[in-house]
Amino acid sequence: MNVDGKHFRTIWMNEADESIIEIIDQRHLPHEFVIEQLTTVDQVAVAIKDMHVRGAGLIGATAGYGMYVAVASLAPDSYISGDEIMRQMVTDGEKLKATRPTAVNLQWAVERQIAAMAAAGDDLSAKIAVAKQTAIDIADEDSDWCRRIGEHGVDIIEKISQVKNGETVNILTHCNAGWLAFVDYGSATAPMYAAHDKGIKIHVWVDETRPRNQGARLTAWELGQHGVPHTVIADNVGGHLMQHGQVDMVITGTDRTTYTGDVGNKIGTYLKALAANDNGVPFYTALPSSTFDWTMRDGVKEVPIEQRDATEVRMIQGLHDGEIKQVLLTPQDSPAANYAFDITPARLVTGLITERGVCDASEEGILGLYPEKK
Ligand code: MRU
């Protein structure tokens, strides 16, 4: 995606020194565009946990690069056996996996790296080469899958546009499932960018998404950079807009979707799906196949829901006098709870938009697109 006319991914390897991984530090957006360099697995773990990077796809891609950094930092001058290397990789992988429990892409990327390194022979340099290539492959695939999600999702938007005789299609989205949540394009936003680029008139309602405000800060910023008309709304507004015919469809992302179609996503998604269902508004979730959990059947019972520090609810961040500041919202002594994700049951989801096409949010629909997972 372009930032002030220059193409960026959200993560990349430094061209001059491939031991350095560079990320856009999203904590500073939309007010400052900051690039951070990561050189150790501990720095990568902090970047994921403290949300310098966030969003399921990007968390996965960052973990992929993190495992490369981990193996590349093992001393090449002293002998280290293949078994010792793999023991260290499992330890480093566990450290990364512990950072954020809900996004399944994280464990998927770590496990993919461990399997690739285990199969690469005992030699350290061979394992480093394989880990580097696997990190690049994970990032490239993520970008390619999101681009294809856009190609499939745009057909749905185009049909709604035709029914409306070319009038603006109003799409509501929650949190940030944009290119900042992936390596490029985004999942929920990919069909929006594709529609906008095709000349289909769209307008996006952007839920602010308390407590971290990923919608207000990140989705609004990236839609603006691409010239997509949008309006930021408080989290509670969507139901009202739907009752008044101002939402034609909802598209969200997901951090973990069961093979039966239950969608785990940013807290508040479930309430939007209930309101959409009550008002006959189609509710779609867009995801690459790396976000399916092929082992989980019941989202409400099985998907681990991250609980983050209460400070994120009690404080709010913004720009004041040219400086990014945090201010206290709540009474000093009021406790707060910070549930980061919820589950939208499959029955409330109109369809899943994947890199292979659109399917029903059901075991049959999903396994119909991914028969090799049966
Ligand atoms: O807590 P975050 O910012 O990592 O949560 C992001 C979301 O909930 C996105 O909607 C989700 O990751 C799906 S798109 C990658």
Side-chain angles (χ1 to χ4, degrees):
M1 277 290 154
N2 289 344
V3 178
D4 296 331
K6 182 170 177 220
H7 181 261
F8 276 93
R9 280 183 165 191
T10 50
I11 187 164
W12 62 93
M13 231 174 238
N14 181 289
E15 269 180 29
D17 180 348
E18 291 187 334
S19 67
I20 300 173
I21 304 306
E22 299 190 319
I23 57 166
I24 300 170
D25 184 346
Q26 301 187 17
R27 292 171 305 166
H28 305 273
L29 288 173
H31 306 300
E32 289 169 8
F33 187 77
V34 175
I35 292 171
E36 183 184 7
Q37 297 194 327
L38 307 173
T39 53
T40 67
V41 69
D42 286 336
Q43 287 173 347
V44 173
V46 168
I48 298 173
K49 189 168 181 47
D50 293 348
M51 295 173 67
H52 309 197
V53 290
R54 27 67 51 205
L58 179 55
I59 291 171
T62 307
Y65 281 113
M67 292 302 290
Y68 159 62
V69 165
V71 71
S73 67
L74 295 179
D77 40 348
S78 56
Y79 177 75
I80 177 164
S81 72
D83 283 349
E84 280 174 288
I85 298 170
M86 290 318 299
R87 269 197 296 278
Q88 186 59 48
M89 288 307 98
V90 169
T91 304
D92 288 339
E94 290 304 319
K95 185 184 290 174
L96 291 174
K97 282 199 253 178
T99 54
R100 295 205 67 192
T102 303
V104 74
N105 303 59
L106 175 53
Q107 75 188 52
W108 169 84
V110 168
E111 279 159 17
R112 181 166 163 178
Q113 277 286 27
I114 286 177
M117 283 190 260
D122 282 344
D123 186 48
L124 178 59
S125 56
K127 289 194 192 299
I128 294 173
V130 159
K132 178 180 159 193
Q133 192 53 51
T134 304
I136 293 169
D137 289 347
I138 290 171
D140 286 350
E141 270 171 27
D142 180 271
S143 168
D144 183 52
W145 288 346
C146 284
R147 185 182 51 74
R148 288 198 260 158
I149 286 169
E151 287 169 4
H152 296 298
V154 72
D155 294 342
I156 302 170
I157 300 176
E158 192 158 29
K159 281 195 189 108
I160 296 175
S161 166
Q162 282 161 0
V163 171
K164 291 187 79 176
N165 293 320
E167 264 181 52
T168 300
V169 179
N170 287 298
I171 305 168
L172 184 139
T173 193
H174 190 68
C175 194
N176 174 262
W179 73 271
L180 289 166
F182 288 87
V183 172
D184 209 343
Y185 300 99
S187 57
T189 55
M192 302 176 198
Y193 291 130
H196 178 77
D197 292 348
K198 218 173 164 182
I200 299 168
K201 281 201 261 172
I202 65 163
H203 163 263
V204 184
W205 296 111
V206 179
D207 284 351
E208 63 173 344
T209 320
R210 279 282 291 149
R212 296 281 301 215
N213 297 308
Q214 292 96 325
R217 296 193 305 109
L218 306 176
T219 305
W221 180 75
E222 59 162 276
L223 289 174
Q225 287 287 328
H226 201 82
V228 178
H230 62 278
T231 306
V232 178
I233 49 175
D235 279 334
N236 312 325
V237 176
H240 166 78
L241 292 174
M242 291 181 205
Q243 282 176 327
H244 290 270
Q246 294 193 64
V247 182
D248 296 304
M249 70 188 301
V250 178
I251 315 181
T252 72
T254 167
D255 285 76
R256 188 186 296 241
T257 289
T258 65
Y259 68 87
T260 55
D262 291 343
V263 168
N265 193 45
K266 181 52 56 192
I267 194 79
T269 304
Y270 173 45
L271 291 176
K272 292 297 139 62
L274 284 172
N277 186 262
D278 194 43
N279 290 282
V281 172
F283 181 101
Y284 287 92
T285 291
L287 72 162
S289 48
S290 50
T291 310
F292 281 114
D293 189 320
W294 302 105
T295 69
M296 286 189 182
R297 179 164 193 86
D298 184 327
V300 175
K301 288 196 185 134
E302 295 176 83
V303 172
I305 300 296
E306 178 180 12
Q307 287 187 57
R308 295 183 60 83
D309 197 296
T311 314
E312 294 180 349
V313 175
R314 300 179 66 245
M315 310 286 290
I316 195 159
Q317 173 178 302
L319 190 69
H320 181 66
D321 284 344
E323 259 182 71
I324 297 178
K325 292 202 172 129
Q326 304 258 349
V327 294
L328 182 67
L329 269 181
T330 60
Q332 184 68 49
D333 298 327
S334 291
N338 191 2
Y339 294 90
F341 297 93
D342 63 21
I343 305 298
T344 298
R347 67 188 156 78
L348 298 176
V349 181
T350 309
L352 301 173
I353 309 171
T354 77
E355 78 273 10
R356 290 200 188 165
V358 181
C359 69
D360 283 346
S362 65
E363 184 171 349
E364 209 184 17
I366 294 166
L367 294 180
L369 273 190
Y370 296 91
E372 71 277 18
K373 299 292 182 187
K374 271 182 195 163

